[in-house]
Amino acid sequence: MAPRRLVAGNWKMNGDLAALDQIEGIADAADGARCEVLVCPPALLVHQMVARAAGRIRVGAQDCHGNMSGAHTGDVSAQQLRDAGATHVIVGHSERRADHGETDAVVQAKAAAAHATGLVAIICLGETEEQRDAGRTLEVIASQLAGSVPEGATAANTVIAYEPIWAIGTGRVPDAAQIAEVHQKLRSDLAARLSDGGHVTLLYGGSVKAGNAAEIFAIPNVDGALVGGASLKAADFVPIITAIS
Ligand code: PEP
């Protein structure tokens, strides 16, 4: 069984009720797509996006707490996201790791909470430019993977997104050999750790656009993309969805 292909959009802290109009065009493309299509809006929009999507695309969230409930003002639980109709949740995005000081252990707890409620956890990892320049990329990736993936992870409940921090929102993208090297490392580490690690969906994220998507999807062990800026408008996102073969 080949890993499931997925093109996922991360709206970050963008979008409003009017932006839900984009879903129609995205869902039209998803109907004939050779991949699953997922959009992760801000948590407040999940419920209404689920209604607008009417099952034609998946809807996810961008973060959840590592606990199921409790005194965590301003946070959202995995169960609340599931109740709202989410199927996936991104955890460990580099913006969360930087803005909120999230460590691998925190990310691991969030992924475990997602799994416990039946959500697929999209676990993000990636190196800084300084780490890459110092030749530490594979070591950093391996350490984040080991520390962020919880016990009980499987190909069915876990997606890994490789997002070099220096490529996010910058228009800069690693070359094909650099992406291939990291994805090969992820694949072999997952295969060593999980009985079905060879089937875990591996996404590349960082400045994916219509113009580079096909080339990125052709790289070995790239099973799809996590897309930020280019997922906000159907006109930009649809050509990425249709680029997957
Ligand atoms: C992201 O933030 O997950 C991302 C990949 O952003 P962008 O596509 O805008 O680089």
mmCIF file of all heavy atoms in Angstrom, residues 10 12 93 95 163 167-170 205-209 226-230, ligand 1:
data_model
loop_
_atom_site.group_PDB
_atom_site.id
_atom_site.type_symbol
_atom_site.label_atom_id
_atom_site.label_comp_id
_atom_site.label_asym_id
_atom_site.label_seq_id
_atom_site.Cartn_x
_atom_site.Cartn_y
_atom_site.Cartn_z
ATOM 1 N N ASN A 10 -2.904 25.472 4.999
ATOM 2 C CA ASN A 10 -2.833 26.039 6.352
ATOM 3 C C ASN A 10 -3.104 27.535 6.225
ATOM 4 O O ASN A 10 -2.256 28.277 5.737
ATOM 5 C CB ASN A 10 -1.433 25.786 6.939
ATOM 6 C CG ASN A 10 -1.206 26.542 8.240
ATOM 7 O OD1 ASN A 10 -2.142 27.022 8.866
ATOM 8 N ND2 ASN A 10 0.048 26.637 8.641
ATOM 9 N N LYS A 12 -3.374 29.654 8.555
ATOM 10 C CA LYS A 12 -2.768 30.436 9.647
ATOM 11 C C LYS A 12 -3.827 31.387 10.224
ATOM 12 O O LYS A 12 -4.991 31.033 10.268
ATOM 13 C CB LYS A 12 -1.521 31.163 9.156
ATOM 14 C CG LYS A 12 -0.581 30.243 8.346
ATOM 15 C CD LYS A 12 0.765 30.843 8.134
ATOM 16 C CE LYS A 12 1.593 29.924 7.262
ATOM 17 N NZ LYS A 12 2.995 30.221 7.253
ATOM 18 N N HIS A 93 3.805 23.213 14.298
ATOM 19 C CA HIS A 93 4.213 24.135 13.230
ATOM 20 C C HIS A 93 5.323 25.037 13.772
ATOM 21 O O HIS A 93 5.306 25.420 14.934
ATOM 22 C CB HIS A 93 3.010 24.957 12.765
ATOM 23 C CG HIS A 93 3.308 25.722 11.504
ATOM 24 N ND1 HIS A 93 4.036 26.887 11.509
ATOM 25 C CD2 HIS A 93 2.996 25.470 10.216
ATOM 26 C CE1 HIS A 93 4.155 27.321 10.261
ATOM 27 N NE2 HIS A 93 3.535 26.480 9.455
ATOM 28 N N GLU A 95 5.845 28.059 13.509
ATOM 29 C CA GLU A 95 5.362 29.330 14.090
ATOM 30 C C GLU A 95 4.861 29.106 15.516
ATOM 31 O O GLU A 95 5.020 29.968 16.378
ATOM 32 C CB GLU A 95 4.290 29.940 13.175
ATOM 33 C CG GLU A 95 4.923 30.471 11.889
ATOM 34 C CD GLU A 95 4.013 30.512 10.683
ATOM 35 O OE1 GLU A 95 2.782 30.369 10.840
ATOM 36 O OE2 GLU A 95 4.549 30.676 9.562
ATOM 37 N N GLU A 163 9.065 20.978 6.925
ATOM 38 C CA GLU A 163 8.953 22.390 6.560
ATOM 39 C C GLU A 163 10.230 23.130 6.998
ATOM 40 O O GLU A 163 10.333 23.559 8.160
ATOM 41 C CB GLU A 163 7.746 23.022 7.244
ATOM 42 C CG GLU A 163 6.427 22.397 6.853
ATOM 43 C CD GLU A 163 5.278 23.386 6.982
ATOM 44 O OE1 GLU A 163 5.094 23.956 8.072
ATOM 45 O OE2 GLU A 163 4.599 23.607 5.981
ATOM 46 N N ALA A 167 12.229 28.332 4.475
ATOM 47 C CA ALA A 167 11.461 28.286 3.227
ATOM 48 C C ALA A 167 10.010 28.714 3.423
ATOM 49 O O ALA A 167 9.282 28.910 2.447
ATOM 50 C CB ALA A 167 11.497 26.864 2.649
ATOM 51 N N ILE A 168 9.589 28.872 4.672
ATOM 52 C CA ILE A 168 8.182 29.187 4.934
ATOM 53 C C ILE A 168 7.923 30.661 4.677
ATOM 54 O O ILE A 168 8.527 31.536 5.307
ATOM 55 C CB ILE A 168 7.792 28.808 6.380
ATOM 56 C CG1 ILE A 168 7.861 27.292 6.548
ATOM 57 C CG2 ILE A 168 6.398 29.323 6.706
ATOM 58 C CD1 ILE A 168 7.543 26.806 7.948
ATOM 59 N N GLY A 169 7.036 30.916 3.707
ATOM 60 C CA GLY A 169 6.617 32.292 3.406
ATOM 61 C C GLY A 169 7.698 33.161 2.798
ATOM 62 O O GLY A 169 7.552 34.384 2.731
ATOM 63 N N THR A 170 8.786 32.552 2.334
ATOM 64 C CA THR A 170 9.918 33.346 1.831
ATOM 65 C C THR A 170 10.061 33.289 0.318
ATOM 66 O O THR A 170 10.819 34.065 -0.252
ATOM 67 C CB THR A 170 11.239 32.824 2.431
ATOM 68 O OG1 THR A 170 11.399 31.458 2.038
ATOM 69 C CG2 THR A 170 11.243 32.935 3.949
ATOM 70 N N GLY A 205 6.555 21.172 2.940
ATOM 71 C CA GLY A 205 5.929 22.492 3.076
ATOM 72 C C GLY A 205 6.977 23.586 3.081
ATOM 73 O O GLY A 205 8.063 23.419 3.663
ATOM 74 N N GLY A 206 6.633 24.695 2.458
ATOM 75 C CA GLY A 206 7.533 25.850 2.407
ATOM 76 C C GLY A 206 7.555 26.427 1.008
ATOM 77 O O GLY A 206 8.219 25.892 0.123
ATOM 78 N N SER A 207 6.734 27.480 0.813
ATOM 79 C CA SER A 207 6.691 28.207 -0.468
ATOM 80 C C SER A 207 6.298 27.325 -1.650
ATOM 81 O O SER A 207 6.791 27.512 -2.771
ATOM 82 C CB SER A 207 8.018 28.911 -0.736
ATOM 83 O OG SER A 207 8.252 29.905 0.256
ATOM 84 N N VAL A 208 5.394 26.340 -1.402
ATOM 85 C CA VAL A 208 4.850 25.569 -2.525
ATOM 86 C C VAL A 208 3.857 26.462 -3.267
ATOM 87 O O VAL A 208 3.001 27.113 -2.659
ATOM 88 C CB VAL A 208 4.143 24.283 -2.045
ATOM 89 C CG1 VAL A 208 3.521 23.540 -3.228
ATOM 90 C CG2 VAL A 208 5.127 23.382 -1.305
ATOM 91 N N LYS A 209 3.991 26.479 -4.586
ATOM 92 C CA LYS A 209 3.135 27.310 -5.444
ATOM 93 C C LYS A 209 2.741 26.486 -6.671
ATOM 94 O O LYS A 209 3.308 25.411 -6.901
ATOM 95 C CB LYS A 209 3.905 28.537 -5.954
ATOM 96 C CG LYS A 209 4.611 29.357 -4.881
ATOM 97 C CD LYS A 209 3.729 30.464 -4.364
ATOM 98 C CE LYS A 209 4.423 31.318 -3.337
ATOM 99 N NZ LYS A 209 4.100 31.063 -1.969
ATOM 100 N N LEU A 226 2.103 20.660 2.365
ATOM 101 C CA LEU A 226 1.428 21.547 3.311
ATOM 102 C C LEU A 226 1.673 22.957 2.780
ATOM 103 O O LEU A 226 2.826 23.369 2.623
ATOM 104 C CB LEU A 226 1.989 21.365 4.721
ATOM 105 C CG LEU A 226 1.351 22.214 5.830
ATOM 106 C CD1 LEU A 226 -0.158 22.031 5.904
ATOM 107 C CD2 LEU A 226 1.968 21.847 7.195
ATOM 108 N N VAL A 227 0.593 23.658 2.504
ATOM 109 C CA VAL A 227 0.666 24.913 1.756
ATOM 110 C C VAL A 227 0.104 26.043 2.606
ATOM 111 O O VAL A 227 -1.024 25.945 3.100
ATOM 112 C CB VAL A 227 -0.159 24.797 0.447
ATOM 113 C CG1 VAL A 227 -0.027 26.071 -0.381
ATOM 114 C CG2 VAL A 227 0.263 23.567 -0.354
ATOM 115 N N GLY A 228 0.868 27.094 2.783
ATOM 116 C CA GLY A 228 0.395 28.245 3.550
ATOM 117 C C GLY A 228 -0.244 29.275 2.644
ATOM 118 O O GLY A 228 -1.409 29.167 2.267
ATOM 119 N N GLY A 229 0.525 30.293 2.268
ATOM 120 C CA GLY A 229 -0.013 31.439 1.529
ATOM 121 C C GLY A 229 -0.813 31.067 0.293
ATOM 122 O O GLY A 229 -1.856 31.684 0.021
ATOM 123 N N ALA A 230 -0.366 30.067 -0.436
ATOM 124 C CA ALA A 230 -1.040 29.720 -1.685
ATOM 125 C C ALA A 230 -2.294 28.870 -1.473
ATOM 126 O O ALA A 230 -2.892 28.404 -2.447
ATOM 127 C CB ALA A 230 -0.069 29.004 -2.620
HETATM 128 C C1 PEP B 1 3.296 26.827 6.253
HETATM 129 O O1 PEP B 1 3.295 27.769 7.013
HETATM 130 O O2 PEP B 1 2.955 25.708 6.637
HETATM 131 C C2 PEP B 1 3.734 27.065 4.876
HETATM 132 C C3 PEP B 1 4.154 26.043 4.192
HETATM 133 O O3 PEP B 1 3.690 28.367 4.420
HETATM 134 P P1 PEP B 1 3.998 28.885 2.937
HETATM 135 O O4 PEP B 1 3.416 27.900 1.947
HETATM 136 O O5 PEP B 1 3.334 30.227 2.846
HETATM 137 O O6 PEP B 1 5.487 28.956 2.805
#
